[in-house]
Amino acid sequence: LTASSGAILFLAVLRQRGLGETPAEAAIAAAVEIALVLLGAQLMYWAKNEIVGREKRFENLVDHVPVAIWQEDFSGVAAWLRALRFGGLTDLRAYLEDRPDRVRYGASLIRVDNVNDAAMNLLQTDDKASLLGPLNVDHIVEETLDALVEEMVAVWEGRAQFTIDVTGQTARGAPMEGYMLLAAPETSAGIDWSKVVVAMVDVSEQRAARRRLQQIIDSKDEFVASVSHELRTPLTTVIGLAQELRTNEDVIDAAEREELLGLIADQAMDVGNIVDDLLVAARADIGTIAIDVQPTNVEREIRQLLDGMQLVAMPVLRVNPEATAH
């Protein structure tokens, strides 16, 4: 209050001497001027505190939101791209796809201003300082280059919001896949590339599960093809021998008929065994398989296997006829 009174008196004296105003007029005008100055100062103080408060609230929200978020400065990238455009470049994507070194240079112009706890957890690091500042191009793997190209193309095209599919690595070298969403504020002067907010949704587990599911589907397809082949061989024998019996029944003697019927029975048993195996596999998948251990003659099993292979010459077997397996 004392300082304001002194300022009013000082201005009143100046106005009275310089403008020839009466003491009352000079005092009123000086008081109004000082009031306007104080009001302006108060408004500036309030605006500054409001801006600082909003920034702190925003930073607090970013720090504690459960989504990985980075605050990045792309202004260096935007300036570099403007220079390329001024130099006559028209197709940025083709330019970058043939020059991975330029992609890394452009990435080095990105500055990370802040990262939240979720982003540090995603990257598997607790060293926040190592993540801030210019982007470390030494940590950029080959799989990440495509995502960086898409980022630069988005800046080139003036897209304030865009989404990118990202593949990379954590600080510990673990693979990481996700969707990255980038957004820059739009002002009356254009897009402010100095305050880009980057959010990433980790989908590594979902994509790994999808790949495992595809492997299971491929394995099932291979399994069906293999089983079809295994069934075709004995069924072909059964059909062929049965047709032989039906067509030449009058000319086949009893001994030959007995032999053919025996082969048909053996091959039909092989088909039955395959079907049994399929049923066992199905029960195993749903956890209802029951185990019944029984002694089995090894020589008999081997001979049945060789008979089903329809070899031209039967190999010599040296097997203990009494050997059994459980």
Side-chain angles (χ1 to χ4, degrees):
L1 184 59
T2 302
S4 299
S5 300
I8 293 173
L9 179 60
F10 177 72
L11 285 175
V13 171
L14 289 179
R15 292 182 68 90
Q16 187 177 3
R17 290 180 178 178
L19 300 177
E21 295 176 343
T22 65
E25 290 174 340
I28 293 173
V32 171
E33 290 177 359
I34 292 298
L36 290 174
V37 170
L38 291 176
L39 178 60
Q42 182 64 30
L43 288 174
M44 291 179 62
Y45 178 77
W46 175 84
K48 179 181 178 181
N49 286 343
E50 181 66 16
I51 293 173
V52 171
R54 289 185 179 183
E55 290 180 349
K56 288 187 177 298
R57 288 193 295 272
F58 175 74
E59 291 178 359
N60 184 63
L61 175 63
V62 168
D63 287 340
H64 296 93
V65 73
V67 177
I69 293 180
W70 292 255
Q71 291 175 263
E72 299 183 351
D73 184 347
F74 274 61
S75 55
V77 177
W80 174 57
L81 296 181
R82 283 195 298 271
L84 291 177
R85 193 189 297 273
F86 182 77
L89 182 66
T90 58
D91 190 344
L92 178 67
R93 188 184 299 277
Y95 173 80
L96 294 177
E97 287 179 349
D98 294 336
R99 297 171 177 82
D101 59 316
R102 303 309 292 165
V103 179
R104 293 180 181 276
Y105 170 75
S108 70
L109 301 177
I110 300 174
R111 191 181 77 239
V112 181
D113 294 331
N114 191 22
V115 295
N116 67 353
D117 294 340
M120 295 174 62
N121 292 334
L122 177 63
L123 296 176
Q124 297 181 333
T125 180
D126 55 2
D127 185 7
K128 185 174 183 177
S130 66
L131 301 178
L132 302 180
L135 204 62
N136 191 340
V137 295
D138 294 335
H139 294 164
I140 298 176
V141 295
E142 194 71 23
E143 294 82 0
T144 310
L145 292 179
D146 290 341
L148 289 171
V149 169
E150 293 302 322
E151 288 184 12
M152 295 174 193
V153 169
V155 176
W156 172 273
E157 295 175 350
R159 287 184 279 138
Q161 295 87 30
F162 49 96
T163 304
I164 298 173
D165 194 358
V166 179
T167 301
Q169 292 182 352
T170 67
R172 299 177 184 176
M176 179 179 60
E177 298 176 89
Y179 294 109
M180 186 171 284
L181 299 87
L182 294 89
E186 298 184 74
T187 67
S188 58
I191 300 175
D192 184 0
W193 292 111
S194 67
K195 298 184 182 301
V196 178
V197 177
V198 181
M200 181 172 177
V201 179
D202 183 19
V203 294
S204 302
E205 294 184 1
Q206 292 85 339
R207 291 188 179 177
R210 185 193 305 169
R211 286 191 290 269
R212 288 194 297 269
L213 178 60
Q214 187 60 50
Q215 291 174 353
I216 292 173
I217 293 174
D218 294 341
S219 298
K220 290 290 186 182
D221 292 342
E222 295 173 1
F223 177 71
V224 170
S226 177
V227 169
S228 299
H229 175 74
E230 293 296 328
L231 288 172
R232 185 183 298 115
T233 301
L235 283 176
T236 300
T237 302
V238 169
I239 294 172
L241 294 178
Q243 289 178 342
E244 180 72 18
L245 284 173
R246 184 170 61 181
T247 304
N248 302 307
E249 182 180 1
D250 297 338
V251 297
I252 296 178
D253 58 32
E256 188 177 2
R257 183 182 297 106
E258 186 68 23
E259 181 182 359
L260 293 178
L261 289 173
L263 290 174
I264 291 174
D266 290 341
Q267 295 301 305
M269 187 177 297
D270 285 345
V271 172
N273 289 335
I274 294 175
V275 173
D276 286 341
D277 289 342
L278 293 176
L279 294 175
V280 169
R283 289 195 295 268
D285 283 342
I286 61 177
T288 60
I289 189 171
I291 305 299
D292 181 20
V293 180
Q294 294 183 357
T296 304
N297 184 275
V298 175
E299 183 183 22
R300 182 177 69 250
E301 293 295 325
I302 294 176
R303 292 194 181 279
Q304 287 180 354
L305 174 65
L306 293 175
D307 290 342
M309 297 175 66
Q310 299 179 338
L311 300 176
V312 176
M314 184 65 69
V316 177
L317 295 180
R318 294 185 177 86
V319 182
N320 182 353
E322 303 301 324
T324 59
H326 294 272

